[in-house]
Amino acid sequence: MILTDVLGSRVLNSEGDLLGRVADARFVLDQPPGQLLAGARLQGLIVSPHSAGSFMGYERNDVTRPWPIAQILKWWHRGSFLVLWEDIEIMGPETVRLREGFTAYHPGLQGAGPGQAPQR
Amino acid sequence: MKRLLGVALGILTAIGGFVDIGDLVTNAVVGSRFGLSLIWVVGVGVVGICLFANMSGRVAAVSGRATFEVIRERLGPRAGLANLGASFFINLMTVTAEIGGIALALQLVTSIHHLLWIPVGAFAVWLVIWRVRFKIMENVAGLLGLCLVVFGVALFLLQPDWGQLAGQAMAPAVPQTESAAVYWFYAIALFGAAMTPYEVFFFSSGAVEEGWKVKDLVQSRINVLAGFPLGGLLSVAIAGCAAVVLLPAGIEVTSLSQIVLPVAEAGGKLALALALIGILAATFGAALETTLSSGYTLAQFFGWSWGKFRRPVRAARFHLSMIICLVVAIGVLATGADPILITEYSVVFSAVALPLTYLPILIVANDPQYMGKHVNSRAVNLAANVYLVIILVASLAAIPLLIITGAGA
Amino acid sequence: MSAAVLLCALSQSVIACSAPVDQAAASAVNQGASAVGTGVLSLDLLAKERAGTPVVETGLEDMAEELDTVRKEFLDNVPATTDERALHREVDAALERAQGALSLARQTLASKDTSAGPDNPPSLANARAALAASAKELETLRQRLGTGR
């Protein structure tokens, strides 16, 4: 399976209710060093209830310019959340089903740079 | 002293490099049909391209990334690919128009039919791209393109009624012989001609080719802010010549041969020869830029190694894609399609596709992770937002107007 | 890509076939007058030695091609009423005379080019007079019909 198969898939909870679509995947670079970068580990998926489009970089909390584009894109992805890999029950090509009692983390990244741990 | 020379050279090449077949044709058509009543659009377009080139040049110099690398990173693979498809197609259309322009200009010099010149022109473009160093290529084409200043001289020699021209320019109105829809259609065409996307691909990729750093930003800003407006004045002079000589004679420009008639009228054979050299250099220079841009966009999107600073064997796919583009352009022109018509469509579609590249650049120019302290200032963002609205309106209105007016016929 | 090609085709067909006869006539006259006017201006520049033969030759060739297209497209219109038929005939005759004047000018230029010798080459002055007459005729028609926009 490649990432393109997953992006845009419908995301359901354990009861089968539609929660949104996969808008992005989040990786952590904490594996042993590879050729160019440290190896990447899939931390989880970003689920967006209104659009499977790109965040265009506005998933980072500190990036708020230029007005009004930043505001529009953040509004576009309002209600989106991060689910960790452990909370995913089935990852199929069409749908992603989450475990019962999964945790929805805030999707924002702290600061202008990547790599901070997600906060609740 | 050396620095001063560098700045002067940069400005001069920016002036000569501003005009291409799209500017030539659109300005002459508009001048011959609307006088100077649409010339305000050139002003709007020039400010827009200054803003856009300034942002993309800054992004390239600070982050080391050219336009399509940024688009790929920011839009993700799928939206990015759609964007690439549209931008690449319009760029290919512009390549075709420029090669056709070279052939038409050579026909004016030799009276040998332009279809025979098309393979020659395309081959020369390929040879220069393959062999000639970036800096030399850019400077020679830009400096020879300065011969187009003869359009400005011609306008003075024609001794027009300046009051009347100023009146047309200052109080624009739709002429009685034209309809409002056609007026706005040509407004969008002029805007698209002044703000062609390839100029930005080329400008930002050129910044990477020449290895710009943050310290070069001042010079790049001077080049843009002095060179493009002066290049815009050349466009106005082309429209002015057509407005003074062709409009009163009831001549509506449909071919390149008509565009040079006012220059001949004003300055005789010498002026005509300079105009032809200028047109040849402008179209050839633009053919180089657009062909390179097609290679740049593809290579940057797919992550191939690219650039003229590498030997062709080190950037094989980059060079191969450009050869294919040139062959496609020859093929299209060989069907006998009118290069002027292709040009007119290419400037309109340029306006349609403009938001696709403008928006990602605007977003990244505001991104502190890429730009550090060189993010857009408030004033630039204000202007950029105003232009975002203009660009969106022009983009959305272009195709409906194209259909309603039958391409301005 | 195909969408763009389709659009080009669509707008071209809109130009070609949507207009009623009087509008098509006005548009054809307008384009014809522009082409013939270009011919007159080119020959004047040649006579004053302000433009060289290649530019003038190319200009005349372009205009001849344009007139051919204009006339062909105009003939695609079918007049319905008697009035329309009269107008149709009048405009077509004017376009035909324009074509004649332009081809005379081109022949003159070509014979001058190859210096055909003294066997009575048509003079540029004659060609210019024919073009000017055609220009005047089309201009009068244009005044009457408007530009069709």
Side-chain angles (χ1 to χ4, degrees):
Chain A
M1 181 183 269
I2 57 170
L3 207 46
T4 315
D5 297 334
V6 181
L7 289 174
S9 299
R10 296 168 343 128
V11 179
L12 310 173
N13 64 11
S14 53
E15 279 91 56
D17 304 325
L18 182 67
L19 299 177
R21 287 174 180 279
V22 178
D24 206 352
R26 186 155 298 163
F27 292 89
V28 199
L29 300 178
D30 60 357
Q31 302 298 301
Q35 247 183 337
L36 285 170
L37 292 165
R41 178 174 59 83
L42 181 64
Q43 186 189 27
L45 299 176
I46 309 282
V47 182
S48 177
H50 303 283
S51 159
S54 164
F55 278 71
M56 303 227 202
Y58 291 106
E59 65 273 24
R60 292 161 300 168
N61 292 332
D62 284 11
V63 187
T64 54
R65 297 181 350 143
W67 181 91
I69 296 167
Q71 284 68 19
I72 290 172
L73 277 162
K74 283 191 172 160
W75 173 80
W76 198 268
H77 285 288
R78 66 197 180 282
S80 58
F81 56 88
L82 167 74
V83 282
L84 298 185
W85 177 243
E86 300 85 74
D87 281 338
I88 294 170
E89 192 172 348
I90 306 167
M91 189 140 135
E94 302 285 316
T95 52
V96 173
R97 188 183 284 267
L98 305 180
R99 268 187 224 289
E100 204 179 326
F102 70 90
T103 319
Y105 289 95
H106 190 276
L109 287 165
Q110 282 232 315
Q116 263 89 24
Q119 83 268 30
R120 207 132 172 192
Chain B
M1 187 63 204
K2 199 174 170 210
R3 198 162 176 80
L4 203 66
L5 263 175
V7 171
L9 189 65
I11 294 175
L12 290 177
T13 46
I15 300 172
F18 181 83
V19 175
D20 72 336
I21 187 77
D23 293 290
L24 268 168
V25 169
T26 319
N27 280 286
V29 170
V30 163
S32 72
R33 287 175 59 171
F34 301 87
L36 290 189
S37 65
L38 267 171
I39 226 59
W40 58 272
V41 181
V42 176
V44 176
V46 165
V47 174
I49 193 73
C50 286
L51 197 63
F52 195 6
N54 167 21
M55 285 196 287
S56 65
R58 186 151 37 87
V59 169
V62 176
S63 73
R65 286 175 179 81
T67 301
F68 255 87
E69 292 170 323
V70 164
I71 289 175
R72 174 70 177 75
E73 285 183 22
R74 266 295 154 259
L75 291 187
R78 251 181 296 179
L81 191 63
N83 191 322
L84 175 76
S87 302
F88 181 78
F89 169 66
I90 284 148
N91 193 56
L92 189 57
M93 209 161 153
T94 317
V95 174
T96 312
E98 307 291 352
I99 303 236
I102 298 174
L104 288 178
L106 286 170
Q107 182 180 10
L108 283 179
V109 180
T110 59
S111 71
I112 294 170
H113 197 274
H114 68 264
L115 277 177
L116 296 173
W117 282 116
I118 286 162
V120 180
F123 181 76
V125 168
W126 169 77
L127 200 64
V128 170
I129 287 177
W130 187 265
R131 295 290 309 176
V132 180
R133 288 226 322 271
F134 186 86
K135 198 91 198 155
I136 297 175
M137 177 196 94
E138 200 189 14
N139 289 341
V140 170
L143 289 179
L144 283 176
L146 277 181
C147 289
L148 289 175
V149 171
V150 75
F151 276 94
V153 178
L155 189 56
F156 278 92
L157 290 176
L158 287 167
Q159 296 176 321
D161 179 348
W162 293 106
Q164 193 198 346
L165 284 184
Q168 286 174 3
M170 295 301 165
V174 183
Q176 282 175 347
T177 49
E178 306 283 351
S179 72
V182 175
Y183 181 87
W184 288 106
F185 173 74
Y186 275 108
I188 290 175
L190 262 188
F191 185 65
M195 270 191 92
T196 338
Y198 86 81
E199 287 171 13
V200 172
F201 305 149
F202 182 75
F203 190 73
S204 69
S205 308
V208 177
E209 291 261 21
E210 294 179 347
W212 285 7
K213 296 279 173 282
V214 172
K215 67 176 169 53
D216 302 313
L217 277 178
V218 176
Q219 182 174 346
S220 101
R221 203 165 292 167
I222 294 173
N223 288 355
V224 166
L225 293 183
F228 284 175
L230 290 171
L233 274 185
L234 280 187
S235 304
V236 174
I238 294 166
C241 282
V244 171
V245 175
L246 305 180
L247 178 66
I251 297 173
E252 297 179 352
V253 168
T254 52
S255 74
L256 193 65
S257 50
Q258 290 165 307
I259 298 175
V260 296
L261 292 180
V263 178
E265 166 91 38
K269 282 182 177 167
L270 178 64
L272 185 59
L274 285 174
L276 291 177
I277 294 173
I279 291 175
L280 198 54
T283 49
F284 195 83
L288 294 173
E289 294 182 5
T290 48
T291 308
L292 279 167
S293 293
S294 57
Y296 288 146
T297 50
L298 281 181
Q300 287 163 9
F301 184 87
F302 291 111
W304 306 335
S305 67
W306 57 273
K308 275 185 58 54
F309 60 90
R310 294 190 170 92
R311 299 208 355 250
V313 72
R314 299 254 161 249
R317 281 173 290 191
F318 169 66
H319 276 276
L320 183 66
S321 60
M322 289 191 289
I323 293 172
I324 293 172
C325 288
L326 285 172
V327 170
V328 170
I330 294 175
V332 171
L333 289 166
T335 62
D338 180 11
I340 300 291
L341 205 61
I342 297 177
T343 306
E344 289 181 347
Y345 278 105
S346 78
V347 293
V348 175
F349 282 110
S350 291
V352 175
L354 202 50
L356 297 177
T357 36
Y358 183 84
L359 188 61
I361 290 291
L362 174 58
I363 288 175
V364 170
N366 276 288
D367 192 326
Q369 194 184 331
Y370 283 93
M371 301 299 290
K373 64 185 168 74
H374 297 283
V375 288
N376 275 0
S377 67
R378 260 174 201 286
V380 170
N381 266 344
L382 184 68
N385 274 331
V386 172
Y387 268 88
L388 182 62
V389 174
I390 297 175
I391 286 169
L392 282 174
V393 169
S395 167
L396 292 175
I399 288 181
L401 281 175
L402 177 79
I403 294 171
I404 292 171
T405 63
Chain C
M1 174 144 180
S2 54
V5 173
L6 195 71
L7 265 174
C8 295
L10 188 68
S11 47
Q12 290 299 310
S13 63
V14 167
I15 305 166
C17 63
S18 70
V21 169
D22 56 340
Q23 207 182 333
S27 158
V29 164
N30 191 43
Q31 285 171 279
S34 165
V36 172
T38 307
V40 174
L41 178 58
S42 305
L43 285 193
D44 282 348
L45 291 174
L46 187 69
K48 285 189 280 184
E49 293 201 354
R50 291 188 159 240
T53 324
V55 168
V56 174
E57 218 166 45
T58 310
L60 293 179
E61 191 184 328
D62 290 342
M63 292 308 111
E65 263 172 44
E66 183 170 331
L67 259 183
D68 289 348
T69 323
V70 167
R71 185 156 173 239
K72 214 184 297 166
E73 273 173 15
F74 179 65
L75 287 176
D76 286 342
N77 288 278
V78 184
T81 64
T82 334
D83 281 356
E84 280 182 2
R85 248 194 298 277
L87 177 66
H88 197 267
R89 214 173 302 130
E90 187 182 3
V91 169
D92 185 46
L95 290 176
E96 195 182 354
R97 274 191 285 277
Q99 278 179 319
L102 258 181
S103 68
L104 177 67
R106 291 181 67 197
Q107 279 165 19
T108 313
L109 213 57
S111 64
K112 195 180 144 221
D113 228 18
T114 54
S115 48
D119 48 335
N120 195 19
S123 83
L124 273 177
N126 285 346
R128 185 188 183 291
L131 272 174
S134 166
K136 203 172 162 204
E137 180 186 17
L138 286 167
E139 188 52 45
T140 320
L141 270 172
R142 172 149 71 176
Q143 297 289 344
R144 210 175 82 204
L145 299 171
T147 56
R149 292 198 180 101

